[in-house]
Amino acid sequence: MGYRCIQCGFPIKTLYLQYSPGNIRLMKCENCKAVADEYIECEITIIIIDLILHKPKAYRHLLYNVINQETLKFQGLLWKLAAIFLLFDAYRYLILESSKSKSSSSMSYSSLVSMCCKMMMDVFFGNFIFLLTFFFMVKIFLHISLSVSRCNGILLGLLISCYFKIFLIAMMVWEFPSSVMFIIELFCLSSNAVALKVMTESSMSQCVWTCFSAYAIKFVFIQAHELMLLWKFMQGWNQIPFTLSLKSTFI
């Protein structure tokens, strides 16, 4: 991914010319004749505000002109962001489980093992299903050919656009209702859609449906797995009185 104009997304060779330290001239886009990247001279606070406001030009600045495959150690950054994403997702699951079992002060060993297994299923397999559905929808619904470098670029944009998960850190300090999780996930979905629109140049409605389908399939998969575990547990629990009655008859 090379540099892009943040206004129209047209590829450009360089963003600015530096005559001396602190003396630069911003380049103009050959396509729209506007300044290619005005965020170079802006404070980071303005960029963060525009990212929260879901402005596509702020996403182009971040995904193309700041994080560039040609100038950064791309694979290392991708692995670090994936690890941070999974940690935030695991913390989200722990918060939800702690809110469900708030009444019970102590936790048995079996329930702890069960919670860890569910967390592994939610974090790893749930996100695997999410990515599988996401890239399937990108290929089929958006009609985009996916190479390895293209998949890595879209995956990086997807991970970066989940920056709203950082607000989970606030739940370590202040107590919020579990409905805040839904709001954070909703913001992540909308941010993913904007990032996908910027990186694929597709329509916003198509990107929203692509991201929504991936989130919906992940939710259905996790709920179906939890229902399956509950059904197996109830089936095993129902067999206990039957075995006890058999023992009493033989005795």
Side-chain angles (χ1 to χ4, degrees), residues 91-109:
Y91 181 63
R92 174 193 60 83
Y93 179 83
L94 290 175
I95 291 175
L96 289 175
E97 285 298 314
S98 63
S99 64
K100 288 179 184 177
S101 58
K102 210 168 188 179
S103 56
S104 58
S105 57
S106 61
M107 185 176 292
S108 63
Y109 177 76

Side-chain angles (χ1 to χ4, degrees), residues 85-95 119 122-123 127:
F85 175 83
L86 292 176
L87 285 174
F88 275 126
D89 227 24
Y91 181 63
R92 174 193 60 83
Y93 179 83
L94 290 175
I95 291 175
M119 184 179 69
D122 188 308
V123 174
N127 284 305

